[in-house]
Structure formats: C-alpha cells, structure tokens
Amino acid sequence: MKRLQRIIVVVMLFFSLTTAAQKHNTTSDDHGMKTYIDALMKKMTLQEKIGQLNLLTPGGGILTGAVVSSNVETKIINGEVGGLFGVIGEEKIRATQELAVTKSRLHIPLLFGSDIIHGYKTTFPIPLGLSCSWDTALIERSARIAATEATADGLCWAFSPMVDITRDPRWGRVAEGSGEDPYLGSQIAKAMVHGYQGDGLGKENTLMACVKHFALYGAVESGREYNTTDMSRVRMYNEYLPPYKAAVDAGVGSVMTSFNEVDGIPATGNKWLLTDLLRNQWGFDGLIVSDYTSVNEMIAHGMGDLQAVSALALNAGLDMDMVGEGYLTTLERSLQEKKITLKQIDYACRKVLEAKYKLGLFDDPYRYCDSARAKKEVLSNDKRIAAREIAEHCFVLLKNNNQVLPLKKSGTIALIGPLANDKNNMLGTWAVSGDPQLSVPVLDGIKNVAGSNTTILYAKGANITDDSILAKNINVFGLRADIDKRSPDEMIDEALKIAQQSDVIVAVVGEASEMSGECASRTDITIPPSQKKLIRALAKIGKPLVLVIMSGRPLVLTEENDLATAILQTWHAGTEAGDAIADVLFNNYDPSGKLTMSFPRSVGQIPIYYDHKNTGRPLIGNTFEKFRSDYIDEQNSPQYPFGYGLSYTKFSYSNITLNKKSMTPSDKIEATVTVTNTGNYDGEETVELYLQDLVASITRPVKELKGFQKIFLKKGESKEVKFIIGIDDLKFYNSDLKYAAEPGDFNLFIGGSSDNVQTAKFVLTM
C-alpha cells in the first residue's frame, strides 16, 4: 500500500510539473519560462541546484575524453546530475531519462548531448572539408540532417559547431573547423547554428547547438593541443572572435569554453571572456558549459586547488561543469566560506533549466526518444544520397596537368594505396557515433561508377606508416593504421606490377583519420615516408599518376606536386566517401571546392595565411631580395593559396565595373564582374570578393574576404555577378576597440582565388 502511495505522489508531482509546462508553449515568451522556472526553483534544495550544474559521462558508450564518471545512476536519483553525454541510442537514453523523471525527488529531466561534429550516424566530410564547398546552404543542410537523425535517437544537444580560426595546420583540430578566415568562418557558423536549431528549439527534430571553443583555441602556440595562446585585443576582435559572435547573433543555445588561457587566465575561469564580453557586450543569454574537465585542469594552470578553481569558474560566469564534478563537490563549501554567492548558483541553475525548458523537456521528457522515427530516419537511404552529394562539393582539385582528369570510363586503372580499400579511415576524426564499417571505400566507389568497360586492378602498395610507435598513437580509437605482414618492398613490387599494366594510376594516400583531430598535433605534416616511397616508385613508371589525398589538415605536398600529374584533395569524406570520390574522378560531378586554409610549401612557413599584414619591408613578388621580409631557402607564398581550387572546365573573369568610384557611410557601391565558362564542361565556380584598406589608424591586412557567390555555368555560358559593398564591409576594430570605418582609399578584388583577382579602386568619404 505504501509503495502504491509513493507511486501516486510521484505521478501527481510529475503531472503538476508537466501541466505547468504545457500551459506555456516551449517557444513561448520569456515571461512564461521565467514563471515556470521560478516556481520550480522554489522547490529545489541547494544541493539540487548544484546538481543541475553537473554534466557527466557514464562510460561504456562514446569515449571523448580520459575521465569517466562513476556512480552515475545514484547521482541521477539523488538529483546530482543536470545532463549526460556519451550515451547513444533511443532505448538507452529513454531508460536513463526515466531514472531522472521518476526516481529523483523533483523529476527534472536530463539534457542529453553528444559530439555531433560532422553528422550523427550518417557522416559527412570533416568540417574543414565541408568549408571547402563554400556553400552555406549545403553546410546548413548537413547540420539539419544530423539534427533530424540525432533527435530521433534521443539526443537534444550537439557540441558543435567548432568555429576556431586557425592558421597552423600542425594543430590536429583544424579538421573540426572552417579554416583561416573570419568572414567565411562566420558565415559557416551561422549556417551550422540554423541547421541544428532550425527556426526555434522545442521541435522534435531540432538540436541545441553549442559553439566552441570559446575562445581563441585555434591560436595555440606551436600547433600543440591544449597549449597557450597570447594575442592583442585588436587581433582577437578583428581576426579570431567574429565566428563566435556570428553564432551568438544567430541564436546559438549554448557556448563551450576552451582549454587555453586568454590574457593569462584560463578561458573556463575568465570573467572578462565569459561575463564582460560574452554576456554583457554580446548579449548572450544561453547556457555556458565547460569543455571536458577544463575546470579541474585550471589546477595544472596554477590557479589553485579544486575548490579554488571551481569558485573561479562560477565567479567568471560558467554555468555547467563537464565531467570534473568540482561544482558538485566544492560549491556548497565555497558558499559557506563566502567565496561565491547563492545568487551565482541560482543564475547558473536557471540557465540549465532554461535550456531544458526551451527544448521542451519539461513538456515531454521523452520528446527526442522515438523508436519509430529513429528506425525511419537514422542512416536512411535519402541521407546516404545526401552524404554523397555533399561530399562531392567539398573536394579540391589542386593540379590537373594534361587534363588527365576526368578519367575515362574505359581502359585499365591501377588503384593503389593504403587508403584505397580501407573503410576504417573514411569517416574522419571525431565521427564518434558513425560506424566506419558502413562506409564506402574508394575501391567500391570506383567499381560502382566506372562501368563494365573499365578494368580495375588493386594493390595496397604501402602501409599508412611503417612506424609502429606512430601507428600505436594513431590507433587509440581502433585500428586506423595497420602494418602489413609483408615487407614494404613486397607491397611496392606488387603495386608496380599492376601499374605497368594500366593506362592510368590512381594512388589514394595521406593521413589516417586519427592523424588529425583532438590531441593529434604533428610536427611533420608531410605524407608519411612509407607512402612517399610508393609515390616516387609509381612516378618513375612514366604513366599518368593521379593522387587522391585524404587528410584532416593541409599537408606539405611540395614533392607530390612535382611528381603527380593530377592531385585531388578529398579530406576525409564520410559515409559515402568512395562513391563521391569516384563521381568526381569520372566527372559525374565537376570538382568545385576551394581551399579554406593555405597549404604551406614547408613547415617552416607556418603560420601562413592569405590575410597577413605587410611589413615595412615587404617582398615584392617571389624572388629573394636582401633586406626584405623573406626566406633565403624558400618562397614566401604558399604551395596552394586560400580560395584556390581548379575545375575540369575553365572560367574567365572580365574587368570589374563599379557603379561609382566613391561612397559615403550612407552609400553603397555595386561591383560587377562577368564570369564565363570557357572550358569543355558544365561546372560551378565560387566568385570571391576581397577588400584592402590602404590607409588606416592601425595596420590592415593585404586583403580580406568580404563576400562570395557560388554560381553554376554551362559550357560557354556567361553570368554577371554583382556584389554590394556597404559601410559595414569597411569597418574594423581600431586600437580603442571601436568598430568603425575610416575614410580613405580602398582596393577591391574579385576572382577565383585570393591570389588570382581583378582589381578596382574606390574612396570612402565621411
């Protein structure tokens, strides 16, 4: 009888909470949300409020860090958990949610998040690859598909997009971002937020996005993971902060702090960063969460013991503590010692509860658990078709001598290389919920596309690496770099035999998926020696040699550029990698990708990026001059510049026409150029607009991307492309951090890459 009475009480309390939520639509005004949460928080104990600030991972599912939480079920029942991540699958999430809403005292539902970085189960190209499409609608579509899948399978929170600007390809996490440019990065950040969140949270197929890593993480010294950053405020505001702000302006629901320090204070405990800038200057009103144990890691930074760093984080404005449990175990003591205030705990708790309210979890804790929808949506055929189409748009044709590409659907092709028939590496890094064994390798893709008149001969040719220690470091998440029992010479001999029988050689080489990503920094970003030896041997045969490069970062390809007839950069392309690569090789789709990071000629050039500033002694051209800013042993220019990418067809640009040569702050200038497809194929071209402020109160870059349009042109077709330049396009943060434009002369550039442009001039008058 007592057990029945307890059940009745639980049901009545749960009904009272859900009924209150149902009186207010999950996307209702702030007053409705405030009224509901005010009522709930009056019922909460101090321990329950602190419990909401605790984000845990139970282990046994998706591993994304070195620490796994313990006694999770007990903590959920005790009201000591606000959310979980690392739990995948509708059944597991439903069962875990049931613990919270039936066995905890107040039945507050949990948030369920995951690192949905470039797809959920259906995996798209790595984000760096996606950015090379220069197609924000397509990128938004990839996030929308990921949200549809993930929400059907129980999740409501994506730890994405990663918007860190980086100019150092040694850093492994360049794979997760959109490259070196703040303008393009901002457009992609907005697209990803809209893709995940749709037109508002609370719908069954929308995820709360989490922009990361706030802030400046992409500027880590030496390209080494978790390392120090240090830069001026002017550089922060002009070059590194814009994509974060773009995500905030787009309505992102949450922000994740970074591991690095900012102005000598770790980001997770940095009050200027989290409160003064993010909350007060930018008006962010969502949830701020730490990265994995980044609260605890402030101890190693030298900021004090666990109690001290937890208080530092709360005082800074951090709402939720991921995995470390410093909040859970120390905040009550810090409150008693008056190192923090109850108001701060209440504020953080409110932000967690508001996120749950906006997601509709108080209305229906199982809103995102729908087994029928999961069965219909996850890895459905239409999503695999989309993954193939999206991947095709991301590949960058770096070289194509003698028009060796596209390949003919006839004759004999030697397909060689350690990545030519390897499912384990198709998805790329940080595809935590994807299944590599469901991916399409290149060998299968070419067989699917080449047709019956084409003979395909295959040989592995080399290991990804012959270095057993490097292979061990790569294989943390499973076998990614296997070392063949055969000797390297035996494998090369086999490859050479089939190469001799072929009309063209296609070698699929590059990085294993875990040679980039988190904690995958490299000092040597060339192709590993085992594969270089294979490429050299194949080049000596004298037959057309096509390199298909898979990587999570820009590589130094100086030697490969000299040896290969053609090079196609495909990144790690996801579930449909093989079919998409074959589509491009055989011209089912004409390659249209453009680089979003510069490719260095040598690691010694790093950091290298297009929007650099001039020195007082700038080098003119690429020829060495004494007493100029240059190298004695290498050119200054990159191997392949930002915005670069070839096509099977060719595009010509007319001179730029301006509708006026001067403008005032209230005016706009129209810049028009005619683009013509002068080649033999239909194709897409990204038309890029750059500006240069010639005289200003602070030094300004040699050029800055300020617009782009992707257009499709049939063979022989011309199209007029128009850009409208307004006062906002001319603004920058000056030495007083005032965002303003200054009068003077400007250069305007339009072209197909940052180093191949038409030029015009105009004047801003005030």
Side-chain angles (χ1 to χ4, degrees):
M1 185 65 180
K2 289 181 179 179
R3 182 172 181 273
L4 179 60
Q5 288 174 335
R6 285 198 300 269
I7 292 173
I8 292 171
V9 170
V10 166
V11 171
M12 288 179 67
L13 183 54
F14 176 64
F15 179 76
S16 68
L17 289 174
T18 55
T19 301
Q22 287 168 351
K23 290 180 180 177
H24 306 281
N25 186 282
T26 54
T27 57
S28 65
D29 60 19
D30 291 344
H31 177 73
M33 180 170 65
K34 183 180 184 303
T35 300
Y36 178 79
I37 292 175
D38 282 348
L40 177 57
M41 288 185 67
K42 287 179 181 177
K43 302 173 185 176
M44 297 175 73
T45 65
L46 173 63
Q47 292 77 15
E48 286 168 332
K49 290 175 181 177
I50 293 173
Q52 287 298 302
L53 315 185
N54 195 25
L55 178 63
L56 300 183
T57 182
I62 304 299
L63 183 63
T64 59
V67 178
V68 175
S69 309
S70 61
N71 302 318
V72 175
E73 287 192 11
T74 300
K75 289 170 183 170
I76 292 171
I77 293 169
N78 291 341
E80 297 176 334
V81 181
L84 294 177
F85 69 100
V87 181
I88 296 292
E90 180 270 336
E91 289 185 4
K92 290 182 181 178
I93 290 175
R94 178 180 286 273
T96 308
Q97 187 72 288
E98 191 172 356
L99 280 177
V101 299
T102 64
K103 294 192 176 182
S104 67
R105 188 180 77 89
L106 290 178
H107 320 292
I108 299 172
L110 300 170
L111 292 169
F112 287 91
S114 186
D115 285 281
I116 301 165
I117 307 300
H118 50 113
Y120 178 57
K121 294 288 189 180
T122 304
T123 307
F124 303 103
I126 59 171
L128 183 60
L130 285 170
S131 73
C132 291
S133 71
W134 292 62
D135 189 329
T136 54
L138 179 141
I139 293 168
E140 181 174 335
R141 181 182 171 205
S142 75
R144 181 91 295 279
I145 291 170
T148 300
E149 275 195 334
T151 53
D153 215 21
L155 295 166
C156 60
W157 191 10
F159 301 139
S160 173
M162 191 276 241
V163 302
D164 300 314
I165 296 298
T166 183
R167 282 86 184 264
D168 191 336
R170 293 174 298 178
W171 189 48
R173 299 195 84 164
V174 300
E176 294 178 53
S178 297
E180 70 189 50
D181 183 70
Y183 178 85
L184 179 61
S186 296
Q187 305 312 305
I188 292 173
K190 289 189 290 187
M192 292 292 286
V193 170
H194 291 150
Y196 288 133
Q197 297 188 173
D199 56 4
L201 296 177
K203 295 182 179 179
E204 65 173 13
N205 63 348
T206 57
L207 284 167
M208 180 170 68
C210 183
V211 68
K212 63 183 189 182
H213 306 87
F214 195 64
L216 319 181
Y217 194 26
V220 288
E221 291 181 357
S222 308
R224 196 175 78 238
E225 191 66 84
Y226 317 122
N227 205 7
T228 301
T229 62
D230 191 11
M231 69 177 68
S232 69
R233 292 282 171 95
V234 167
R235 189 165 213 184
M236 286 184 205
Y237 276 75
N238 283 315
E239 300 175 36
Y240 283 82
L241 292 178
Y244 307 111
K245 187 174 188 301
V248 170
D249 291 344
V252 72
S254 60
V255 170
M256 182 184 292
T257 62
S258 54
F259 290 113
N260 56 281
E261 63 179 68
V262 176
D263 283 345
I265 301 173
T268 300
N270 194 307
K271 187 175 186 294
W272 173 81
L273 186 70
L274 304 186
T275 297
D276 297 346
L277 179 65
L278 182 59
R279 292 287 193 203
N280 297 338
Q281 288 187 36
W282 293 359
F284 177 67
D285 196 37
L287 171 65
I288 304 177
V289 61
S290 79
D291 206 339
Y292 208 114
T293 66
S294 67
V295 172
N296 311 58
E297 290 168 27
M298 289 194 288
I299 299 171
H301 278 281
M303 307 306 290
D305 61 15
L306 184 60
Q307 181 182 354
V309 297
S310 298
L312 179 67
L314 188 72
N315 282 317
L318 183 80
D319 302 317
M320 205 170 197
D321 174 13
M322 183 186 287
V323 177
E325 300 191 61
Y327 275 14
L328 186 70
T329 58
T330 72
L331 287 190
E332 190 171 356
R333 186 163 70 253
S334 290
L335 180 64
Q336 293 169 353
E337 296 172 1
K338 298 185 178 180
K339 294 175 179 176
I340 60 172
T341 66
L342 180 60
K343 183 179 179 181
Q344 290 172 319
I345 293 173
D346 282 348
Y347 183 87
C349 178
R350 181 175 294 276
K351 291 304 170 188
V352 176
L353 296 176
E354 285 178 353
K356 296 177 179 184
Y357 186 97
K358 292 172 186 175
L359 286 163
L361 292 172
F362 289 113
D363 179 34
D364 179 6
Y366 309 106
R367 175 184 297 275
Y368 304 98
C369 297
D370 187 334
S371 58
R373 194 162 75 86
K375 186 176 180 180
K376 175 187 175 184
E377 298 287 4
V378 176
L379 273 171
S380 57
N381 187 57
D382 64 304
K383 292 177 179 59
R384 295 196 70 131
I385 291 171
R388 179 173 180 170
E389 177 188 347
I390 289 169
E392 292 166 356
H393 287 69
C394 301
F395 305 154
V396 185
L397 184 62
L398 299 177
K399 182 179 180 180
N400 194 23
N401 279 7
N402 305 319
Q403 292 291 296
V404 66
L405 292 178
L407 299 175
K408 297 180 178 65
K409 294 183 179 180
S410 61
T412 301
I413 297 172
L415 181 65
I416 296 167
L419 291 164
N421 188 31
D422 181 357
K423 292 184 176 184
N424 288 330
N425 287 293
M426 295 302 100
L427 300 189
T429 186
W430 228 233
V432 297
S433 49
D435 183 351
Q437 299 313 307
L438 297 178
S439 67
V440 180
V442 179
L443 177 59
D444 289 356
I446 287 183
K447 287 179 178 178
N448 293 339
V449 173
S452 58
N453 294 327
T454 308
T455 300
I456 311 297
L457 305 176
Y458 164 73
K460 182 178 179 182
N463 298 312
I464 289 173
T465 178
D466 293 333
D467 184 337
S468 60
I469 295 175
L470 178 59
K472 180 181 178 182
N473 294 342
I474 294 167
N475 292 333
V476 172
F477 295 128
L479 187 63
R480 299 292 184 269
D482 67 312
I483 297 181
D484 204 286
K485 293 180 180 178
R486 295 172 294 172
S487 72
D489 288 341
E490 285 180 279
M491 287 191 287
I492 287 179
D493 287 344
E494 179 190 33
L496 293 178
K497 286 177 184 177
I498 69 164
Q500 294 282 9
Q501 303 170 44
S502 70
D503 300 308
V504 61
I505 304 164
V506 177
V508 189
V509 294
E511 292 186 316
S513 60
E514 296 308 321
M515 289 175 74
S516 58
E518 185 170 355
C519 201
S521 298
R522 294 181 64 192
T523 60
D524 179 358
I525 57 170
T526 60
I527 287 177
S530 56
Q531 298 179 67
K532 276 186 169 289
K533 185 177 179 181
L534 171 65
I535 294 167
R536 292 175 191 134
L538 294 174
K540 287 180 181 178
I541 292 176
K543 299 202 175 178
L545 174 59
V546 177
L547 296 185
V548 174
I549 309 285
M550 294 186 183
S551 70
R553 55 162 56 83
L555 298 174
V556 172
L557 298 175
T558 311
E559 182 181 15
E560 289 72 21
N561 186 71
D562 292 339
L563 294 176
T565 316
I567 302 176
L568 182 68
Q569 174 71 38
T570 66
W571 314 107
H572 290 112
T575 304
E576 290 292 317
D579 283 338
I581 290 169
D583 281 340
V584 171
L585 289 175
F586 289 98
N587 199 32
N588 288 357
Y589 177 78
D590 181 55
S592 67
K594 304 268 190 175
L595 295 179
T596 57
M597 282 190 76
S598 305
F599 276 47
R601 298 176 185 272
S602 163
V603 71
Q605 291 179 304
I606 296 169
I608 187 167
Y609 48 97
Y610 86 94
D611 55 341
H612 61 86
K613 296 181 179 182
N614 267 330
T615 70
R617 297 182 178 184
L619 180 67
I620 308 300
N622 271 321
T623 303
F624 172 78
E625 292 184 54
K626 196 66 174 177
F627 307 117
R628 290 285 180 176
S629 179
D630 54 10
Y631 301 101
I632 63 171
D633 61 346
E634 185 55 271
Q635 298 179 45
N636 281 18
S637 63
Q639 181 74 56
Y640 310 113
F642 176 86
Y644 171 84
L646 303 176
S647 169
Y648 295 152
T649 193
K650 294 183 183 299
F651 299 97
S652 67
Y653 285 72
S654 71
N655 292 330
I656 300 169
T657 301
L658 300 181
N659 70 329
K660 59 179 73 174
K661 293 297 180 71
S662 66
M663 63 178 283
T664 66
S666 60
D667 288 338
K668 294 185 184 299
I669 282 183
E670 293 182 2
T672 305
V673 66
T674 299
V675 184
T676 303
N677 183 343
T678 61
N680 296 319
Y681 302 95
D682 300 343
E684 288 181 289
E685 170 73 341
T686 299
V687 184
E688 304 163 25
L689 167 72
Y690 300 87
L691 295 177
Q692 181 188 21
D693 191 345
L694 290 168
V695 179
S697 59
I698 62 172
T699 58
R700 304 288 289 123
V702 295
K703 58 170 67 81
E704 297 176 286
L705 183 72
K706 290 296 181 179
F708 58 90
Q709 296 181 39
K710 194 163 189 176
I711 60 173
F712 174 80
L713 293 175
K714 292 183 177 180
K715 174 184 174 182
E717 183 182 4
S718 296
K719 185 171 290 187
E720 189 176 82
V721 178
K722 181 179 295 184
F723 292 97
I724 299 176
I725 297 94
I727 191 66
D728 286 343
D729 298 308
L730 310 182
K731 290 180 178 179
F732 62 94
Y733 289 94
N734 61 25
S735 57
D736 296 321
L737 297 183
K738 181 180 178 182
Y739 191 56
E742 296 177 355
D745 295 334
F746 289 81
N747 279 334
L748 183 149
F749 311 97
I750 299 177
S753 75
S754 62
D755 72 336
N756 185 15
V757 292
Q758 303 293 324
T759 307
K761 294 179 181 291
F762 68 93
V763 178
L764 173 66
T765 60
M766 304 296 268

